[in-house]
Amino acid sequence: GAVVSQHPSWVICKSGTSVKIECRSLDFQATTMFWYRQFPKQSLMLMATSNEGSKATYEQGVEKDKFLINHASLTLSTLTVTSAHPEDSSFYICSARQGGGQETQYFGPGTRLLVL
Amino acid sequence: GQSLEQPSEVTAVEGAIVQINCTYQTSGFYGLSWYQQHDGGAPTFLSYNALDGLEETGRFSSFLSRSDSYGYLLLQELQMKDSASYFCAVKDGNNRKLIWGLGTSLAVNP
């Protein structure tokens, strides 16, 4: 099946620093990638949808200047949490969709962010 | 508004059969998906129903009735490793993003 990787899997950082998370589709080209955030015991919250070569579409309430998304190629999207604060600590998960009528989203293993 | 409803918790014993229901109310509909998520892990895709009826994949089956805005995930011959959260998700027909339910926590006991 389709494989999506995320790096890093764990990040601990100080308040005020920026953190970049990479999401890669390893064996397929992803025309669309999605970034989610999940707090403990809660459902996934879609943050933004990113299409290769165009600006990301952010969900209501998600600050685009704080969560910078770049989808530079068909296999790579990055999420940068700028000036991270403790309340940004969460589980960040990306997913990728192949396109061309393929509707299934394949999820990366997630990145745990802890901001001290 | 858009919403999906599923039970928050289900408990069963090894070898049993469990059905997790999902009702949805969305502005558009492209299909109903089910995902499994173990504690600390990311969701893994289980099944996708775009048309009415039953889809069977091994011990797991998924059903959809579009006229009733309803679907279910059926897990048979439960094993301890099936203890996880199960999410239903509807693909919004307008923009094709997934709208997620709150998840059902399944506990399988010996």
Side-chain angles (χ1 to χ4, degrees):
Chain A
V3 178
V4 176
S5 70
Q6 264 182 259
H7 177 80
S9 54
W10 261 104
V11 182
I12 301 175
C13 68
K14 291 182 179 178
S15 187
T17 59
S18 293
V19 173
K20 181 188 278 191
I21 303 170
E22 288 187 353
C23 177
R24 292 181 186 272
S25 56
L26 298 185
D27 52 2
F28 68 100
Q29 293 188 324
T31 55
T32 306
M33 287 185 171
F34 303 87
W35 286 96
Y36 294 87
R37 181 167 51 180
Q38 187 179 34
F39 294 105
K41 304 295 184 187
Q42 293 189 21
S43 189
L44 284 80
M45 243 178 42
L46 180 65
M47 299 175 68
T49 303
S50 118
N51 292 297
E52 185 264 339
S54 62
K55 288 184 181 178
T57 302
Y58 289 81
E59 294 300 300
Q60 195 171 6
V62 177
E63 300 173 57
K64 58 182 68 175
D65 294 331
K66 180 166 183 62
F67 299 99
L68 301 178
I69 291 172
N70 187 304
H71 193 159
S73 76
L74 285 171
T75 59
L76 173 64
S77 177
T78 60
L79 167 68
T80 302
V81 183
T82 61
S83 186
H85 291 285
E87 58 266 29
D88 298 324
S89 299
S90 188
F91 189 41
Y92 291 86
I93 314 170
C94 74
S95 72
R97 186 174 67 201
Q98 197 165 355
Q102 297 294 321
E103 297 294 340
T104 302
Q105 288 187 27
Y106 298 96
F107 284 82
T111 298
R112 291 206 180 276
L113 171 63
L114 177 61
V115 185
L116 303 175
Chain B
Q2 309 206 87
S3 66
L4 281 79
E5 290 194 15
Q6 53 182 127
S8 58
E9 292 181 351
V10 173
T11 303
V13 296
E14 271 188 302
I17 299 173
V18 152
Q19 179 173 311
I20 300 174
N21 298 321
C22 176
T23 57
Y24 59 87
Q25 187 175 2
T26 56
S27 57
F29 181 81
Y30 245 108
L32 181 69
S33 300
W34 288 93
Y35 288 82
Q36 178 193 60
Q37 186 179 30
H38 285 99
D39 267 352
T44 55
F45 172 77
L46 291 178
S47 69
Y48 173 69
N49 294 66
L51 302 175
D52 291 350
L54 189 68
E55 295 278 344
E56 298 182 68
T57 309
R59 294 187 296 115
F60 295 178
S61 305
S62 57
F63 172 83
L64 173 66
S65 169
R66 288 173 296 171
S67 61
D68 296 321
S69 298
Y70 162 76
Y72 66 72
L73 178 69
L74 189 73
L75 299 86
Q76 302 182 73
E77 300 172 23
L78 281 175
Q79 301 174 9
M80 298 288 287
K81 67 177 182 180
D82 298 328
S83 294
S85 291
Y86 293 84
F87 293 90
C88 60
V90 165
K91 193 175 303 293
D92 184 327
N94 293 329
N95 55 25
R96 298 168 69 208
K97 64 183 180 183
L98 284 177
I99 300 165
W100 293 79
L102 296 181
T104 297
S105 177
L106 171 64
V108 180
N109 297 319

